[in-house]
Amino acid sequence: MNNVKILGVGGSPRKNGNTDILLDSFLKGAESEGAETKKLHLRDYSIESCIGCEACRKAGTCTQFHDGMNLLYPEIEAADGLILGSPTYNYNITAPMKAFIDRLYPFYDFAEERPGPYSSKLGDQGRKALVFTVCEQVKAEEMGFTLEALGMPLEALGYEVLEKFLSTGCFRKGAVSKDEDILEKAFESGKKMALALR
């Protein structure tokens, strides 16, 4: 089980907030089943927004920018599992998480014709993912598109998204730490992910 690696990526700009706390719970659950985990917070990296130059279609990597993504690409490739978490900002993911997802474009292989077929360099490898969000609103529909914005790009890249996890009614910094039920659910989800990757 030591060869199973899970990478957790937090998209919250707020340190030690609800997203960070939940991410820790997922990773602790995975660790309890023997997975090797690593945690990264996008706020600690400078990541430029994709400008659509498409040079990566030929180069196989982003040649436009030399920034934080150059450090993250190897981490993503090395991990069997990926956990992405973002608080809900204005019905969607945070700007750092959007920049991160857009900059995953080099992992695609495209045909010459436009539009045409494409494949993923990460596909057909048994990779799995879990995505989650925290939102202030109580009604799930008021979360907007956050879980879709996290999950759909990973599915296109060939990940099996095991769960789209939602924590509602959380706004104040650290509020989720008082919700033992949601923390336990996150822990169990992390365990299930590690088991699925065996």
Side-chain angles (χ1 to χ4, degrees):
M1 186 64 188
N2 290 334
N3 60 335
V4 170
K5 297 180 180 179
I6 296 176
L7 177 66
V9 180
S12 176
R14 184 161 62 176
K15 188 176 182 180
N16 298 324
N18 296 312
T19 303
D20 290 11
I21 294 167
L22 275 179
L23 182 58
D24 284 341
S25 292
F26 287 116
L27 294 177
K28 286 176 183 176
E31 289 166 5
S32 75
E33 289 296 336
E36 178 183 336
T37 69
K38 187 167 186 176
K39 177 176 57 177
L40 303 172
H41 295 291
L42 297 180
R43 61 176 175 265
D44 296 330
Y45 296 82
S46 175
I47 300 175
E48 296 289 338
S49 296
C50 177
I51 62 170
C53 70
E54 299 203 339
C56 62
R57 288 171 70 103
K58 292 184 178 180
T61 190
C62 180
T63 56
Q64 180 67 37
F65 302 111
H66 299 282
D67 59 6
M69 282 305 291
N70 295 99
L71 302 173
L72 299 184
Y73 288 135
E75 299 285 357
I76 295 164
E77 291 183 73
D80 307 291
L82 188 60
I83 300 176
L84 296 188
S86 173
T88 295
Y89 276 25
N90 207 16
Y91 303 98
N92 215 319
I93 55 179
T94 60
M97 182 59 77
K98 182 65 167 69
F100 169 82
I101 289 173
D102 286 348
R103 293 282 301 280
L104 298 178
Y105 200 67
F107 286 122
Y108 288 108
D109 281 320
F110 293 94
E112 287 296 324
E113 63 267 28
R114 305 293 298 267
Y118 64 89
S119 61
S120 170
K121 297 168 188 171
L122 303 176
D124 300 319
Q125 298 174 17
R127 294 175 184 267
K128 303 188 188 303
L130 184 156
V131 299
F132 74 96
T133 189
V134 181
C135 66
E136 176 184 5
Q137 291 75 20
V138 175
K139 295 181 180 178
E141 57 268 25
E142 293 182 346
M143 168 194 62
F145 317 103
T146 311
L147 288 175
E148 287 79 4
L150 289 167
M152 291 177 69
L154 296 185
E155 290 169 344
L157 281 167
Y159 287 85
E160 178 188 0
V161 177
L162 299 174
E163 187 173 1
K164 295 178 180 178
F165 190 101
L166 172 63
S167 178
T168 59
C170 293
F171 177 70
R172 292 187 183 278
K173 184 177 181 179
V176 75
S177 64
K178 299 178 181 178
D179 190 334
E180 292 296 330
D181 183 57
I182 200 74
L183 292 176
E184 180 62 25
K185 287 179 179 178
F187 184 89
E188 290 299 319
S189 292
K191 287 180 63 174
K192 290 176 184 176
M193 184 180 194
L195 289 170
L197 284 165
R198 282 183 174 173

